[in-house]
Amino acid sequence: MFRAVFGESIVARGIKAGLLEIDCHQIRDYTENKQGKVDDYPYGGGPGLVMSYQPVKSAYEAVLRDHLAEDGRKPYTIYMSPQGTPFDQKTARRLADMDRLVIICGHYEGIDERVIDDIVDEEISMGDFVLTGGEIPAMAVADCIARLVPGVLASSEAYENESHSDILLEYAQYTRPEVIGDRKVPEVLLKGNHGDIEKWRLDNSIERTRVKRFDLYEKYQKRSREESTFYFDNSATTRQRDEITRVMNDVCDRLYGNPSSLHRMGFQAEKELTAARNKLLELIGGTGFGKLYFTSGATEANNWVFRSILPANPRLGRHVLVSAVEHPSVNESALSMRDAGYEIEAIPVDSDGRVNLDKLTELIRPDDTALVSVMHVNNETGAIQPIEEIVKLVRKLRPGALIHCDCVQSFGKLPVDVKKMGVDLISVSAHKIHGPRGIGFLYAGKDVKLRPLLYGGGQEGGERSGTENLPAICGMAAAAGLVCENIEANYLKAVKMRNIFKEALTGSIRACSVNTPEEGSSPYVLNVSFPGLRAEVILHTLENYGIYVSVGSACSSHKKNRSSVLTAMGVGKSSIDGAIRISFSPDNTEEQCVYASKILVTEIKKLYAIHSRARKNSAGQ
Ligand code: PMP
């Protein structure tokens, strides 16, 4: 069989030219029994025969004797089987890079499982159908790999532009004659304009792929989108990872029972809910120290702290301290409690945006401060607050006060450990870590007296009613696992990416000032000002290149007032109006940063040139 196929055409030419070598071995030649039997009845009964261990193993060892690499490495060994991974061009390219391959062809009902365990590196399938043996698939694989070996095909171009070598199917091909019946070769192919021909071919490829292979078309669309999008607004929200979407779809499919239901499906859903809760609790170092309640996000968690938990602890006092740079979901919900008789004071920050510890010492009331809320990482500037020092101070001056920390911008990026931090309450949101939107959690230490914000069916131990969003909860737990596993590597990557922007901008634009503190800041955020320019104009200019950044904080950028964070840091009005926030994720690449920062520099220079011309003109008028 093999001689007939490999003795002809392109593969035969490759062998003759010394570019390829294909050896065939007859397994039957290696049997140790007199009858030359290679197969036997399957244990446990059933139809067909199974190839025995001994002849396959002996044949393989004979091949090894001739083909061990110089360093003693065995050749990569493939077993053709309908149970393997479906073969495709990507696999072919990977295999074509190997020096030598052994392909084992099964026959009958298969081969003894123990041979596969002993010698096979990879099982490959031709698709979801069954043939009489592995020979034809082995020929197909060998043929496909052979034509990728340099020199086997006449010109390398022949395999670069073909169906499946990229995502798109190949364009329609025509040869002479020009006219067949009433069908004529497309005009553009006859005119000889290479640009037009290329364009026609690409369009034709895209359209054919859409019609014939919608699955590949979708992949192509996704890749095109990814290649032309430079998303640097990750502090506002992140792209949900495909694997998280898969986790969530699986939960929707399998675990749609209500965790509160008493039947088995409810029990299974509850089991997953508990697993997600325990995993998250462990990731924040809270196992055994407190409880974790799922909420619709950090906004709800923050509101819960001020609007319900604070009044649930009336004996703590009526005085509340929040840092001057909190997210509106902290700030506004704190201020809303004024009507209920609470006194809310802001803790001033220094020019780096960090809480001023002396001021905090002055502000704490040893007999009345009920709650202190300071975020971990600032969403606009990336400044890290000295949480442990703040906690020490509060515990010393007002031991009973509750301490809340909004960890939305730090969880999954910096180590968040509630024990080490010493805080009572933290808020987290999933959509900042490539998880789904509309889900987050509040952690509360064991001793914190709770009162629900939402009443109803008594879910979450009665503390937060509403049917649990299990797909999103499992998505959040999976997303948290992914980021927390890679905190260090992701951190170093973020430092590099931030520095690319920082150096490009401060090195080329004199007026540029950096609002993110040099030390003690999260590398995932870079806030820079271009005084005299308007941040919205910069944002929309970049958008034309597929580059997305933010004006101040995305949550407050629809509001017309100036950033309260930069104002609290003492940044001037003109610098605030020209401030943009570039925020990173592990999904960004250094190449993207180089590209986007170059465009940013060029466009800012152009905007400054227009700005100074406009000023000169108005001065001359
Ligand atoms: N706190 C901080 C620091 C944030 O950055 C955000 C989101 N921008 C929130 C809270 C609110 O989170 P969510 O969108 O999940 O309600």
Side-chain angles (χ1 to χ4, degrees):
M1 278 172 98
F2 284 93
R3 243 175 267 130
V5 171
F6 295 141
E8 297 290 335
S9 185
I10 294 171
V11 178
R13 261 194 352 240
I15 295 173
K16 214 163 151 205
L19 301 166
L20 301 166
E21 216 179 295
I22 301 181
D23 293 327
C24 297
H25 299 262
Q26 169 64 279
I27 292 176
R28 196 179 294 281
D29 295 346
Y30 298 89
T31 50
E32 284 168 5
N33 56 61
K34 283 202 203 80
Q35 305 83 354
K37 238 168 80 91
V38 290
D39 51 8
D40 216 328
Y41 293 101
Y43 277 120
L49 293 162
V50 176
M51 282 174 78
S52 320
Y53 184 94
Q54 179 276 316
V56 181
K57 185 75 191 289
S58 302
Y60 183 70
E61 278 166 357
V63 172
L64 285 196
R65 276 196 290 279
D66 293 341
H67 294 285
L68 266 190
E70 272 167 22
D71 59 6
R73 267 185 308 119
K74 291 193 317 189
Y76 195 72
T77 304
I78 289 161
Y79 172 47
M80 300 308 306
S81 140
Q83 297 185 12
T85 338
F87 188 63
D88 60 11
Q89 198 61 24
K90 203 165 139 204
T91 312
R93 274 195 294 268
R94 173 166 59 82
L95 298 177
D97 278 343
M98 296 185 181
D99 259 3
R100 49 194 86 201
L101 286 172
V102 173
I103 307 180
I104 299 172
C105 316
H107 216 91
Y108 315 111
E109 275 308 296
I111 59 179
D112 191 299
E113 192 65 23
R114 290 161 295 184
V115 199
I116 302 173
D117 293 344
D118 279 3
I119 61 183
V120 170
D121 294 305
E122 183 171 351
E123 283 188 55
I124 290 182
S125 160
M126 272 294 118
D128 293 337
F129 51 86
V130 183
L131 298 168
T132 54
E135 291 85 358
I136 293 170
M139 285 179 212
V141 168
D143 180 273
C144 183
I145 294 171
R147 61 188 289 292
L148 294 177
V149 172
V152 170
L153 290 186
S155 121
S156 68
E157 231 206 313
Y159 51 83
E160 264 166 20
N161 243 333
E162 270 170 298
S163 300
H164 301 288
S165 63
D166 197 6
I167 295 178
L168 291 176
L169 300 183
E170 201 183 15
Y171 44 82
Q173 296 276 21
Y174 300 91
T175 184
R176 275 186 288 192
E178 205 178 300
V179 183
I180 298 176
D182 58 355
R183 282 164 306 154
K184 201 167 176 286
V185 171
E187 202 62 34
V188 60
L189 300 179
L190 305 171
K191 289 201 171 143
N193 181 326
H194 287 296
D196 288 350
I197 293 175
E198 285 297 305
K199 184 176 177 316
W200 181 87
R201 285 182 166 165
L202 178 63
D203 291 346
N204 186 264
S205 276
I206 296 171
E207 182 52 15
R208 278 158 84 85
T209 311
R210 191 182 67 77
V211 173
K212 296 186 183 186
R213 289 288 304 273
F214 198 72
D215 58 324
L216 293 181
Y217 175 75
E218 282 183 312
K219 257 194 206 166
Y220 172 76
Q221 291 288 345
K222 184 162 190 258
R223 200 180 65 179
S224 307
R225 234 181 3 253
E226 278 167 11
E227 281 175 357
S228 56
T229 303
F230 303 86
Y231 185 75
F232 294 108
D233 196 12
N234 292 285
S235 290
T237 197
T238 55
R239 192 180 81 82
Q240 183 170 304
R241 293 235 164 95
D242 294 345
E243 55 261 59
I244 303 305
T245 307
R246 281 196 289 274
V247 166
M248 292 171 67
N249 285 342
D250 177 53
V251 175
C252 289
D253 269 356
R254 251 182 346 105
L255 296 164
Y256 51 87
N258 188 322
S260 303
S261 295
L262 296 178
H263 49 63
R264 194 165 53 215
M265 282 179 73
F267 175 73
Q268 282 166 343
E270 198 206 349
K271 218 169 102 185
E272 288 298 318
L273 184 70
T274 306
R277 194 190 311 280
N278 289 344
K279 180 173 175 182
L280 289 162
L281 206 48
E282 194 185 320
L283 291 174
I284 56 165
T287 313
F289 280 82
K291 288 194 172 165
L292 190 148
Y293 301 93
F294 294 114
T295 63
S296 64
T299 298
E300 183 190 325
N302 290 340
N303 271 266
W304 189 1
V305 169
F306 292 94
R307 306 224 13 109
S308 257
I309 297 174
L310 176 61
N313 293 270
R315 270 184 301 172
L316 289 181
R318 300 235 138 210
H319 179 236
V320 175
L321 288 171
V322 294
S323 90
V325 290
E326 292 300 309
H327 186 265
S329 57
V330 164
N331 224 5
E332 302 284 324
S333 49
L335 289 176
S336 77
M337 294 305 286
R338 277 180 171 161
D339 295 344
Y342 284 88
E343 195 184 331
I344 318 296
E345 277 193 287
I347 316 162
V349 293
D350 61 20
S351 58
D352 277 346
R354 262 186 288 270
V355 159
N356 183 322
L357 296 176
D358 293 335
K359 289 271 165 42
L360 175 61
T361 310
E362 281 170 30
L363 285 168
I364 294 177
R365 297 182 192 164
D367 54 349
D368 194 32
T369 302
L371 174 65
V372 178
S373 181
V374 178
M375 71 202 319
H376 196 186
V377 167
N378 187 270
N379 51 303
E380 290 190 41
T381 65
I384 303 173
Q385 296 293 351
I387 296 296
E388 288 176 40
E389 286 173 63
I390 292 169
V391 171
K392 230 192 260 167
L393 201 62
V394 176
R395 295 281 182 243
K396 192 172 103 196
L397 301 174
R398 176 65 172 154
L402 293 174
I403 305 177
H404 168 246
C405 184
D406 176 335
C407 292
V408 169
Q409 299 290 347
S410 59
F411 179 63
K413 298 179 179 124
L414 305 177
V416 168
D417 186 313
V418 289
K419 255 188 339 280
K420 273 201 202 124
M421 291 160 89
V423 293
D424 301 300
L425 297 149
I426 76 164
S427 317
V428 166
S429 191
H431 70 99
K432 313 280 183 178
I433 53 165
H434 301 279
R437 283 145 214 242
I439 192 76
F441 65 80
L442 177 75
Y443 160 85
K446 262 206 291 249
D447 302 329
V448 179
K449 194 159 167 246
L450 298 179
R451 177 188 294 168
L453 183 66
L454 302 182
Y455 291 87
Q459 287 87 352
E460 299 290 284
E463 300 298 352
R464 199 280 189 183
S465 287
T467 302
E468 301 86 344
N469 185 351
L470 192 63
I473 288 169
C474 294
M476 168 162 66
L482 284 181
V483 284
C484 289
E485 260 170 34
N486 296 301
I487 284 191
E488 260 176 62
N490 290 344
Y491 183 94
L492 294 174
K493 187 178 172 193
V495 169
K496 279 192 192 154
M497 295 196 291
R498 181 200 55 191
N499 288 349
I500 290 172
F501 271 96
K502 203 164 146 181
E503 281 157 24
L505 295 173
T506 53
S508 320
I509 295 160
R510 230 175 331 125
C512 171
S513 62
V514 180
N515 301 315
T516 298
E518 181 72 34
E519 304 271 317
S521 61
S522 158
Y524 290 91
V525 185
L526 179 65
N527 190 312
V528 277
S529 282
F530 302 100
L533 301 184
R534 293 207 62 85
E536 297 91 310
V537 176
I538 303 173
L539 181 144
H540 293 304
T541 307
L542 292 178
E543 193 176 50
N544 294 332
Y545 294 91
I547 301 168
Y548 299 89
V549 298
S550 173
V551 175
S553 159
C555 297
S556 54
S557 57
H558 283 300
K559 296 185 187 160
K560 289 281 170 257
N561 43 0
R562 292 198 167 90
S563 156
S564 57
V565 174
L566 298 182
T567 306
M569 287 162 62
V571 178
K573 283 189 181 125
S574 158
S575 287
I576 296 181
D577 292 343
I580 60 166
R581 178 186 69 182
I582 305 161
S583 51
F584 307 95
S585 118
D587 284 2
N588 292 125
T589 63
E590 286 177 48
E591 291 74 34
Q592 285 181 348
C593 296
V594 170
Y595 169 79
S597 60
K598 270 193 192 145
I599 303 253
L600 185 51
V601 167
T602 312
E603 292 303 319
I604 296 279
K605 281 185 176 167
K606 277 193 218 161
L607 289 172
Y608 269 128
I610 296 169
H611 182 252
S612 73
R613 263 204 307 276
R615 275 192 16 185
K616 267 187 213 142
N617 285 348
S618 64
Q621 271 164 8

